[in-house]
Amino acid sequence: MTQHEAIGIIETKYFPVAMEMLDQVTKAADVEFLTSHNQLGGKLVSLIIGGSISDVTLAIETAKRVDQTKPDQPLKNAVVITNPHPEILKYAIPSTKKAEKQPTAKKQATRKTRTTKKQATKTIEEDENNE
């Protein structure tokens, strides 16, 4: 994982608003989208971005400006954390190594298929030997 001088956390109502904010934030500042967390079926979305302190600050200000254009002002909170401690990053950003270790559904299906083929071959060989 890349070390960032700062991370920004944007918490807003509604998934479409979060995507619009993320679009505007990444266009306005040189920040990297790190992860998102959806709660309540996408009615509450947290976006986490990383970059230099100035870029993350600009991104958070941009999110606040986007919020001001919305009728119900969906932005719940937007903060900049400078020089984040690695423990915070472990909590906020899921580890990619864990994701790599967990087999995907496709890999699991492939493993089951291979096992089934092996079993089928074994069964055919046993049938031929019994005849």
Side-chain angles (χ1 to χ4, degrees), residues 62-119:
T62 302
K64 290 177 181 178
R65 280 195 304 273
V66 170
D67 177 63
Q68 291 173 354
T69 66
K70 302 296 176 193
D72 62 345
Q73 297 180 323
L75 184 68
K76 292 299 178 189
N77 202 356
V79 297
V80 176
I81 300 173
T82 59
N83 194 21
H85 191 278
E87 290 301 313
I88 291 174
L89 296 177
K90 285 181 191 177
Y91 173 75
I93 305 166
S95 173
T96 55
K97 290 183 181 180
K98 284 184 183 178
E100 290 172 3
K101 287 182 182 178
Q102 295 176 350
T104 61
K106 186 175 179 180
K107 287 181 181 177
Q108 288 174 343
T110 304
R111 288 182 185 152
K112 288 180 183 177
T113 304
R114 287 182 186 154
T115 303
T116 305
K117 287 179 183 178
K118 287 179 185 177
Q119 289 172 346

Side-chain angles (χ1 to χ4, degrees), residues 10-23 33 35-47 66 70 72 74-75:
I10 301 166
E11 187 175 59
T12 186
K13 293 190 310 186
Y14 317 122
F15 182 78
V17 174
M19 292 302 99
E20 181 183 357
M21 282 187 182
L22 181 61
D23 179 57
F33 170 68
T35 189
S36 69
H37 300 277
N38 296 319
Q39 293 87 23
L40 306 173
K43 291 182 182 175
L44 185 64
V45 181
S46 300
L47 303 171
V66 170
K70 302 296 176 193
D72 62 345
L75 184 68

